[in-house]
Amino acid sequence: MLSFLTDHTEVDGIEETKKIIRNHLSNPYSITKLADKAKMNPASFTRAFKKRVGMSPKEYLIEERIKSAKQLMLQTKGITTKDVSMKVGVQDEFYFSRLFKQKVGVPPSVFMKRSKERIAVVSQIFLQDHLLSLGIQPVAAPSYPTVYPSSNGLPSYLEKQLEGTVLLNAENMFQPEEILNTQPDHIIKTPLHNGEIQSVILSHQQRVRNISLKTQWNEYLREIASLLGQESKVDRIENEIATLELKVRDEICPFTRKGKWAVIWIRGNEIRLYGWRDHACLDLIYQKLGFEAHPDIPTEGYQIVTVKELVELNADKLLILWSHEKDVSRVVKIKEWKMIRAVETRQVYYPNSFEWDPWGPIGRKNMLINFASSLQNSKLMS
């Protein structure tokens, strides 16, 4: 009990000192003062901090300074490197520039050029993926806090690249003031669910670049590149993705060439049976990676089905995507589940696919890099 209480006190102390560091970047507390705040001696505090956070207090201070610097560069028009350096507590501008390049990979002057043309994304699709692949960081972009709670509402592969971007909660109606406060030169907007109308944005219609919903990932890339004068980069991005798709297809060919597949998403109150085209993820699986679609699945979109209907479908192999373990566990307990052909032959695959979002080049590449190993090690034993 004493150990349990001590651990919790220690955690509370570390979390409090993290807040202190974040709130005093320009005039940071000494290790001694931080240790006092955590009611620990300096040596114990440093060890406990590193164990809890994964880095020393000094390293954490540097990380937070870099994050704050990115935000200042993206969100403050006309700010200079010297101003940024002073605001994050680094008095020597040249030391700050070296430190920033060491941590980010480019100097501050190059980083600021990524947002020279200020773009806000108003969409329920991660169009920031396309922008980043073109070398542009948006000043505002959508996020899904409940879908990705541990990475600021973003897939983990986008989180670091969007430090400094204002993240808009796409799970609710967008707040126009929050968007316009970022002072965008252009707003890239797709149709929103439920026909939401952003009245304040409409009053700034000259800034809005409307993009229709697409069925192919690279249609978004090509249109955004055309809007921003970045067409020269598109072929290289598409060729890189196509090469990776062929590599993965060859790698998994022995695994996919036998049997007809069906893809399902088990949700809280329904099972979705997906079609084989006009969806970036399903197009990738069936068209690019060589999975053979069961002839009785939908052509496009999805159908809500029961377990009994999955039995009747009689698919040789079943791929479960995006599904929470509690929902899968509930469904596999249904009596008819064991009658599904793929279940009987142990050909049900349930990879960790929560971040499989191949609508943009970065997400598509991330999915492909992990695809073969994720799939081949994911048989669902029920």
Side-chain angles (χ1 to χ4, degrees):
M1 179 62 75
L2 284 172
S3 174
F4 176 80
L5 291 173
T6 302
D7 287 346
H8 273 261
T9 302
E10 185 177 283
V11 167
D12 291 342
I14 298 301
E15 290 302 312
E16 181 61 29
T17 56
K18 284 171 63 179
K19 290 179 185 177
I20 292 170
I21 292 171
R22 289 196 298 269
N23 293 334
H24 295 84
L25 294 178
S26 60
N27 188 23
Y29 279 42
S30 67
I31 294 295
T32 301
K33 285 188 177 180
L34 290 172
D36 286 343
K37 292 284 184 182
K39 296 180 173 57
M40 302 169 69
N41 66 58
S44 297
F45 168 72
T46 300
R47 285 195 301 270
F49 192 100
K50 190 165 187 177
K51 180 180 177 183
R52 173 71 180 168
V53 183
M55 63 184 81
S56 70
K58 181 179 178 180
E59 290 168 334
Y60 183 76
L61 171 63
I62 291 172
E63 288 284 316
E64 290 303 311
R65 279 176 163 166
I66 297 298
K67 284 182 187 178
S68 181
K70 288 179 177 179
Q71 186 173 18
L72 286 165
M73 291 177 196
L74 283 170
Q75 302 302 333
T76 312
K77 273 190 173 182
I79 197 166
T80 65
T81 301
K82 183 176 181 180
D83 291 336
V84 174
S85 176
M86 295 294 287
K87 285 180 180 293
V88 300
V90 181
Q91 305 303 313
D92 185 336
E93 174 189 350
F94 300 104
Y95 170 70
F96 168 75
S97 294
R98 290 197 302 272
L99 184 64
F100 189 92
K101 184 176 181 180
Q102 178 188 339
K103 293 295 182 181
V104 181
V106 296
S109 57
V110 173
F111 181 85
M112 284 190 272
K113 287 179 182 177
R114 295 175 69 183
S115 61
K116 187 174 181 180
E117 192 164 16
R118 302 174 66 80
I119 310 295
V121 178
V122 180
S123 175
Q124 281 147 334
I125 302 167
F126 285 140
L127 295 183
Q128 57 261 48
D129 185 320
H130 300 272
L131 287 168
L132 290 168
S133 71
L134 295 168
I136 298 167
Q137 183 167 349
V139 293
S143 65
Y144 287 86
T146 63
V147 178
Y148 305 106
S150 62
S151 48
N152 289 323
L154 299 166
S156 60
Y157 56 82
L158 290 180
E159 183 184 17
K160 193 76 175 175
Q161 297 189 65
L162 288 169
E163 285 181 349
T165 296
V166 170
L167 299 178
L168 311 168
N169 188 347
E171 296 170 0
N172 303 321
M173 284 191 67
F174 289 108
Q175 300 302 311
E177 294 83 0
E178 188 178 12
I179 298 160
L180 296 175
N181 283 342
T182 64
Q183 298 179 280
D185 298 318
H186 303 292
I187 298 168
I188 293 179
K189 182 177 179 297
T190 60
L192 303 177
H193 300 169
N194 305 318
E196 292 178 17
I197 295 176
Q198 308 295 329
S199 57
V200 176
I201 290 177
L202 290 175
S203 68
H204 295 72
Q205 194 61 39
Q206 74 277 8
R207 301 188 200 175
V208 179
R209 309 282 189 95
N210 287 290
I211 295 180
S212 62
L213 297 176
K214 316 292 185 186
T215 58
Q216 301 293 322
W217 73 274
N218 55 343
E219 291 177 343
Y220 286 111
L221 178 66
R222 288 190 167 274
E223 185 163 346
I224 290 170
S226 178
L227 288 173
L228 302 177
Q230 300 287 333
E231 297 96 329
S232 62
K233 298 179 180 180
V234 171
D235 287 345
R236 175 188 58 78
I237 294 169
E238 288 185 334
N239 290 339
E240 181 183 359
I241 296 296
T243 299
L244 187 54
E245 288 171 350
L246 285 173
K247 178 177 180 293
V248 175
R249 182 186 180 115
D250 290 344
E251 187 176 352
I252 64 174
C253 181
F255 178 69
T256 58
R257 65 185 175 185
K258 294 181 181 179
K260 294 178 172 56
W261 290 79
V263 176
I264 62 172
W265 182 6
I266 301 175
R267 293 160 58 89
N269 56 358
E270 65 184 20
I271 301 173
R272 293 183 179 182
L273 172 65
Y274 276 86
W276 53 271
R277 74 175 194 192
D278 292 345
H279 181 289
C281 191
L282 284 309
D283 277 335
L284 177 60
I285 288 170
Y286 289 121
Q287 316 304 321
K288 301 295 185 180
L289 299 183
F291 286 66
E292 185 176 356
H294 190 283
D296 295 330
I297 66 172
T299 300
E300 57 190 41
Y302 64 84
Q303 292 177 355
I304 306 297
V305 296
T306 63
V307 173
K308 185 177 180 181
E309 287 170 323
L310 288 176
V311 174
E312 294 169 356
L313 182 68
N314 205 33
D316 300 309
K317 298 184 177 182
L318 198 61
L319 178 58
I320 303 173
L321 296 184
W322 311 307
S323 307
H324 289 284
E325 190 173 336
K326 61 182 176 60
D327 296 321
V328 175
S329 179
R330 171 179 50 80
V331 167
V332 301
K333 292 175 183 175
I334 296 173
K335 181 176 64 175
E336 289 86 358
W337 176 261
K338 295 187 182 297
M339 299 166 61
I340 296 172
R341 176 181 174 81
V343 175
E344 291 178 335
T345 57
R346 295 189 172 183
Q347 294 297 311
V348 180
Y349 297 84
Y350 176 37
N352 182 358
S353 57
F354 287 107
E355 292 197 336
W356 285 12
D357 183 17
W359 283 101
I362 299 171
R364 199 172 187 88
K365 186 176 180 180
N366 181 75
M367 176 177 168
L368 285 165
I369 288 171
N370 299 298
F371 189 86
S373 59
S374 295
L375 188 66
Q376 292 174 21
N377 296 320
S378 66
K379 278 192 180 182
L380 178 67
M381 310 303 288
S382 58

